[in-house]
Amino acid sequence: GRILRAVLAGGFALALAASTAIAAEEDCPDIGLVPELTRLTQFKDGQGRTLDDVRYDIVVRATTPPVCREKDRMLNVSLRIVFDAQRGRAAPAGRTQFSYFVAIMHRVTKEIIAKEVFPVAFDFPPQRFSVAIEEELEQVRFRYGKDEKPIYYAILVGLQLSEDQLTYNRQRRGESPGAPRPAAPGLPTLPGLSGAPSAAGS
């Protein structure tokens, strides 16, 4: 599969090329946010982990419902992802960077069939401590099996974290280090499909 990204400037979306066939809304893959990967807290150098040590916080705020275009079992999905960025006490105004990933997962086999990591760089204006960043995935593209439907797949979104950042998120969420985690967090169950993952927390 292929995942192409376009950055939205000023809130205006890039036009999508017309497709020869439009998939029904219920035939789009579900979008899942990985809970422990929806926040990134960057601290200044050193061991400090108080509010005075925070350079910035990045949060995945929302995704839009996917728009699907399909032809000959080749599915093209487009959606937008909105991030909130907060500048902390330890960060001056200026350039900030983070990365997020988008993965396509088969919901029965749990196999990740494609994954891309996208870097994002933006500026904090001198007098502002929060900004919203909006990105558009123009083409999340994959082919599904002859006896399958697009809903057999899920698109997972999360922030690309270091091990320290991931550990910090898990501790903040109150998780024990060895706690089992769902393979497809935030996704509804698939009725009638053997082996389909359950929704997070069920």
Side-chain angles (χ1 to χ4, degrees):
R2 296 183 64 201
I3 303 173
L4 301 181
R5 181 273 305 261
V7 179
L8 296 183
F12 294 97
L14 300 180
L16 292 172
S19 299
T20 56
I22 303 296
E25 182 177 347
E26 60 269 19
D27 285 336
C28 274
D30 281 318
I31 308 299
L33 298 180
V34 184
E36 61 190 4
L37 301 179
T38 56
R39 185 170 184 175
L40 185 162
T41 302
Q42 179 66 50
F43 294 96
K44 69 180 182 181
D45 293 340
Q47 300 300 313
R49 292 297 182 266
T50 70
L51 289 178
D52 290 331
D53 303 308
V54 174
R55 294 183 60 236
Y56 58 83
D57 260 319
I58 310 292
V59 178
V60 185
R61 188 176 77 189
T63 64
T64 61
V67 176
C68 297
R69 293 165 171 82
E70 181 270 342
K71 183 178 181 181
D72 298 330
R73 301 199 314 276
M74 179 64 75
L75 194 70
N76 288 278
V77 185
S78 62
L79 70 149
R80 297 182 194 180
I81 307 171
V82 181
F83 303 89
D84 280 338
Q86 300 284 334
R87 180 154 61 95
R89 299 173 184 174
R95 177 67 54 165
T96 302
Q97 300 184 56
F98 68 95
S99 295
Y100 70 95
F101 71 86
V102 178
I104 303 169
M105 185 193 74
H106 195 289
R107 293 177 62 183
V108 177
T109 66
K110 315 297 194 304
E111 179 186 5
I112 299 295
I113 65 172
K115 179 184 176 181
E116 296 286 346
V117 177
F118 301 109
V120 179
F122 64 97
D123 292 312
F124 273 115
Q127 302 304 319
R128 292 188 60 183
F129 288 87
S130 65
V131 295
I133 302 117
E134 187 171 351
E135 296 223 324
E136 179 171 356
L137 297 175
E138 282 192 305
Q139 188 181 75
V140 180
R141 186 169 184 256
F142 66 96
R143 186 180 299 278
Y144 56 92
K146 181 179 180 181
D147 297 323
E148 295 181 329
K149 297 179 180 180
I151 198 64
Y152 280 51
Y153 294 81
I155 298 172
L156 303 181
V157 176
L159 294 163
Q160 192 75 9
L161 305 183
S162 68
E163 284 296 325
D164 287 344
Q165 290 165 346
L166 180 58
T167 298
Y168 178 78
N169 280 0
R170 289 173 175 170
Q171 291 172 345
R172 179 164 48 190
R173 288 166 53 85
E175 297 181 8
S176 59
R181 297 176 181 88
L187 299 174
T189 55
L190 292 179
L193 289 184
S194 176
S198 300
S202 63

